[in-house]
Amino acid sequence: MGKSTKSPFKIIVLLTLVTFSLIVAFVVFNQKDKEPSVTTFQKQPDITGQPTIGNSDAPISIVEFGDFKCPSCKAWGETIFPQLAKDYVTTGQAKITYINVLFHGEESKLGSLAAESVFKNSPDSYWEFHIGLFNEQPTENHDGLWITKEKILEVAKQVKGIDIEKLSTDIDAQSGLEELNKDTNLVKEYKVEMTPSIMVNGTMLEDPFDYEKIKSLIKKELEENK
Ligand code: CA
C-alpha cells in the first residue's frame, strides 16, 4: 500500500492524455489523407455537342456537371461561373461546358430535356435559358416541386429565339433522351457523385467553390500548354 498505489487522479490524467493524443493523431492522419484535393483523369471529357461558352480553341476546358434541381449548382452558377467567365472566358483562355446530371429524379430529367431541346434548336438562346431556369429555383424548399412544363415554357417565353411550340413537343416526345444518355455516360465515366462537380481540363476538383484552387489549376495548365 502507500507508495506503489497509483492515484486515480494520475490515471485519469494519463488516460486523458492518451485519448487526446489519439484524437490529434487521427485528425492529422485524416488531413494527410485528404491532401490531394483533386483527381486527375488521363482523358478529358468529350464535350462534342455539349453547350459550351467561350472560345472553342481555348486551352482550358472547364466542365460543370450540374443539375437544375441542385441548390449548390444554382449557387455555383451565381458566384463561381461569372467569376470564371470574367477572368478566363472573356480573355479567350477558357471555355465552360455544362453536362446534365439527373440526381433529382423526374424534375432533373424534365429540366434537362428542355435544356437539350433549346440547345439543339436555338443554341444561341441556350445560356440565357439555362440561367433563367436556375433563377426559378426557389431559395427555400427547393426539394418541393418546381420544375414543371409550365414553368419551363414560362422561362422560355422570356428568352429570345426559342420556338415555344417546338420546345413543348420536344418535351412531350422526350426528344433529348439520347443527349441525356450521353451526359449520363460522362457522369459514370468521370465518377461524378455530387453536383456541381467541376473539372479543369482532366482534373476534378474536390471543392467546386475553392476559387483559389481553380485559379492555381488553370495557371498550372496554362503554363504546361505554352
Ligand atoms: Ca448534354
Side-chain angles (χ1 to χ4, degrees), residues 152-208:
I152 287 166
L153 297 183
E154 186 190 308
V155 170
K157 278 175 194 160
Q158 289 164 40
V159 180
K160 252 193 195 161
I162 298 180
D163 180 342
I164 303 297
E165 279 302 307
K166 175 75 178 135
L167 175 58
S168 174
T169 52
D170 270 1
I171 291 171
D172 293 342
Q174 305 206 339
S175 309
L177 221 46
E178 204 179 310
E179 288 300 319
L180 288 197
N181 289 338
K182 247 194 232 171
D183 291 14
T184 300
N185 286 336
L186 287 170
V187 166
K188 285 181 195 152
E189 187 178 349
Y190 291 92
K191 301 177 172 35
V192 172
E193 285 173 348
M194 60 163 200
T195 50
S197 278
I198 305 299
M199 285 184 85
V200 175
N201 284 353
T203 299
M204 182 77 81
L205 277 111
E206 189 175 278
D207 177 4

Side-chain angles (χ1 to χ4, degrees), residues 49-51 98-100 116 179-180 183:
Q50 300 288 3
Y98 185 81
I99 308 289
N100 290 297
E116 293 290 358
E179 288 300 319
L180 288 197
D183 291 14

Side-chain angles (χ1 to χ4, degrees), residues 37-41 62-63 76 194 196-200 202-215 217:
S37 61
V38 293
T39 310
T40 302
F41 289 82
I62 298 165
V63 174
W76 195 88
M194 60 163 200
S197 278
I198 305 299
M199 285 184 85
V200 175
T203 299
M204 182 77 81
L205 277 111
E206 189 175 278
D207 177 4
F209 289 91
D210 187 348
Y211 197 64
E212 288 308 310
K213 183 78 199 174
I214 298 176
K215 274 198 332 201
L217 267 176

Side-chain angles (χ1 to χ4, degrees), residues 15-107:
L15 277 176
T16 308
L17 277 174
V18 168
T19 310
F20 182 72
S21 312
L22 280 175
I23 290 171
V24 168
F26 181 77
V27 168
V28 168
F29 178 79
N30 266 298
Q31 271 175 352
K32 259 194 174 170
D33 217 17
K34 275 183 188 162
E35 223 159 65
S37 61
V38 293
T39 310
T40 302
F41 289 82
Q42 292 269 312
K43 189 174 139 273
Q44 291 186 36
D46 179 7
I47 56 166
T48 318
Q50 300 288 3
T52 300
I53 194 167
N55 182 351
S56 57
D57 295 330
I60 305 295
S61 174
I62 298 165
V63 174
E64 176 190 4
F65 290 89
D67 186 331
F68 290 106
K69 268 290 272 187
C70 135
S72 302
C73 300
K74 179 184 167 84
W76 195 88
E78 288 171 356
T79 55
I80 308 293
F81 183 97
Q83 190 100 31
L84 283 170
K86 179 173 154 277
D87 293 347
Y88 300 103
V89 176
T90 53
T91 63
Q93 291 165 299
K95 54 191 169 190
I96 308 176
T97 300
Y98 185 81
I99 308 289
N100 290 297
V101 182
L102 312 179
F103 284 170
H104 290 84
E106 280 308 306
E107 277 178 89

